[in-house]
Amino acid sequence: MALNTSAEAPVPVGEISRLIGGWIDRLGAVWVEGQITQLSRRPGAGVVFLTLRDPSYDISIGVTCFRQVFDAVADVVGEGARVVVHAKPEWYAPRGQLSLRAVEIRPVGVGELLARLEMLKKALAAEGLFAAGRKKPLPFLPQLIGLVCGRASAAERDVLENARHRWPAVRFEVRNVPVQGVHAVPQVVQAVEELDAMEEVDVIVVARGGGSVEDLLPFSDEQLVRAVAECRTPVVSAIGHEPDNPLLDYVADLRASTPTDAAKKVVPDVGEEAERVRMLRDRGRRCVDALVAREERGLANALARPAMEDPHRMVDERADHVASLVDRSRRTVGHLLDRADSELTHTHARVVALSPAATLKRGYAVLQKGDGHVVRSPGDVEPGEALRARVAEGEFTVRVDG
C-alpha cells in the first residue's frame, strides 16, 4: 500500500527500510541465471559471498550461501562461470542492501548453453536478422577499417599484419576491449557503435581467437547481435576458428573463419591486383591488336578487288555502250524532229490555205458595217449606207446604191 507522507510528516529511514524488507520478504524463491564475477571464501567462515552479474545488461547482485551449499559445486564453479541459483531475495535493513540467499547452485553445462543458444538463434532468425537480404556488400578497397579486438591479442596482430602485408596503405581504427568475461558484451557493443558512427570507417571487423564455448559466449549475446544488425557499416565476424559459430557469424555481413581470413577477405592483395591489372592490360592489348589486324585484312581484301585496283575500268568498259546509246538517242531524236517538222509544214500549209487571208487573195472581199458586223445578206444594209470593204491588200469605203 502507498504511504501517506508529506514534507511535514515524513517517514524515517528505518521505517522505510523496514517496509521494503517486509515487501521483499513476501517474495518467494526464484531461479536466477548469471555469471560469477566475485567469489569470497574466507577460511573458517560458514558463509560464502558471490556477485552474480548479467553481462548483457551490466547489472550485478550479491548472493550469499552457506559453505556446504557452495562446497557441493566448488570443484566446477569459479569466477567467470555461469550458474543457475535457487535463492530467496533478502533485504539487509542496516545498509539498505538487497541480496539473494542461495539454497542451491547449479553450473550451466555446455549442452544447456548450446540448447539456449539454439533457441535464441531460432528466435532471432524468425525476426529476419539473419536474412541474406540484409547483408551489405563490403567495399573493394576500404580506406579505414574499424577493428574490435582484445588488447595486444593474437587476433589483433593477425589482422593488422596480414592486412598491411596485402595492402600497405590500409589504415585501422582499433578499439581494444575485453573479449570474454562479464565486461565483454557492453564494451564490444559500445566499440561497434562508436565505429559505426564514424563516417570515414568503411568496414568493421570484430575479431577474437579461439576458445571454449563459454569463452565465446559474449559473441552470441542477444544485445550484441541486435547492435550489429542495426549497423549501417558492413560488419565482418572473425571469431575463433573454423568450427566455431557464435551468433555474431549469422548476423554479420560476412563471416571469416579466422582473424587471418578476415584480413584476406576485407583487403585485396596488392600483388594480385597488380597482376590482374597486367593481365587485363595484356588482354586489352591483344584485343586491340586483333581488331586492327582484322580491319587491315578487310581493307587489303577490299583494295584487292578489281573495282578498287582500277576504279575507271567499269567506266571505260561502259563508255562505248554509253556512246552508242547517245548516238542512238540523237538519231532517234533527229528522226522525231524531222517528222514533226514535216507534219508542222503540212499543217501550216493547210491552215494557210483555209485562212480568210488566202480567200481574200483570190479576189474576195469582206463587207463590214460601221459597227463592225459582217454583211451577210442584202437585207442587212440600207440604201446610201456607207460600208467598209476589206480586201487582201487593205480596205476601203463603199456606199450602197439603191
Side-chain angles (χ1 to χ4, degrees), residues 6 27 32 39 64 81 85 89 120 132 182 184 206 218 225 267 269 272 284 314 329 349 359 399:
S6 65
L27 297 176
V32 181
L39 173 61
T64 60
V85 176
L120 178 59
V182 294
V206 182
V225 171
V267 179
D269 184 85
E272 294 177 358
M314 295 178 62
S329 300
T359 302
R399 189 173 297 276

Side-chain angles (χ1 to χ4, degrees), residues 36 39 41 48 50 65-75 77-78 105:
I36 298 176
L39 173 61
R41 299 175 64 189
V48 177
L50 311 172
C65 65
F66 292 113
R67 176 175 289 275
Q68 57 268 30
V69 173
F70 186 81
D71 287 344
V73 294
D75 294 336
V77 169
I105 299 176

Side-chain angles (χ1 to χ4, degrees), residues 148-151 176-185 187-188 218-219:
V148 180
C149 58
R151 185 180 302 278
N176 293 123
V177 296
V179 291
Q180 69 182 62
V182 294
H183 301 290
V185 173
Q187 294 197 33
V188 172
F219 300 97

Side-chain angles (χ1 to χ4, degrees), residues 97-142:
Q97 183 176 0
L98 176 66
S99 63
L100 299 176
R101 170 70 70 170
V103 295
E104 184 179 355
I105 299 176
R106 297 181 183 178
V108 177
V110 174
E112 188 175 1
L113 283 176
L114 294 178
R116 293 182 185 180
L117 289 179
E118 186 63 26
M119 292 178 59
L120 178 59
K121 176 183 175 182
K122 292 180 178 179
L124 296 176
E127 294 184 28
L129 297 186
F130 303 157
R134 294 177 56 93
K135 307 295 184 184
K136 296 177 284 295
L138 270 63
F140 168 71
L141 180 59

Side-chain angles (χ1 to χ4, degrees), residues 344-363:
L344 180 61
T345 301
H346 293 312
T347 301
H348 180 265
R350 287 196 299 270
V351 171
V352 169
L354 297 175
S355 68
T359 302
L360 293 177
K361 286 181 179 181
R362 290 198 298 270

Side-chain angles (χ1 to χ4, degrees), residues 13-70:
V13 172
E15 180 64 15
I16 288 295
S17 181
R18 185 188 65 80
L19 291 173
I20 293 175
W23 292 332
I24 292 176
D25 285 340
R26 297 190 187 100
L27 297 176
V30 293
W31 287 96
V32 181
E33 181 185 357
Q35 189 172 19
I36 298 176
T37 59
Q38 292 181 354
L39 173 61
S40 176
R41 299 175 64 189
R42 299 174 184 174
V47 178
V48 177
F49 297 91
L50 311 172
T51 298
L52 206 60
R53 184 182 182 87
D54 185 343
S56 298
Y57 297 95
D58 198 16
I59 296 175
S60 301
I61 189 171
V63 179
T64 60
C65 65
F66 292 113
R67 176 175 289 275
Q68 57 268 30
V69 173
F70 186 81

Side-chain angles (χ1 to χ4, degrees), residues 372-383:
H373 285 82
V374 177
V375 177
R376 302 178 185 277
S377 172
D380 293 340
V381 298
E382 298 291 336

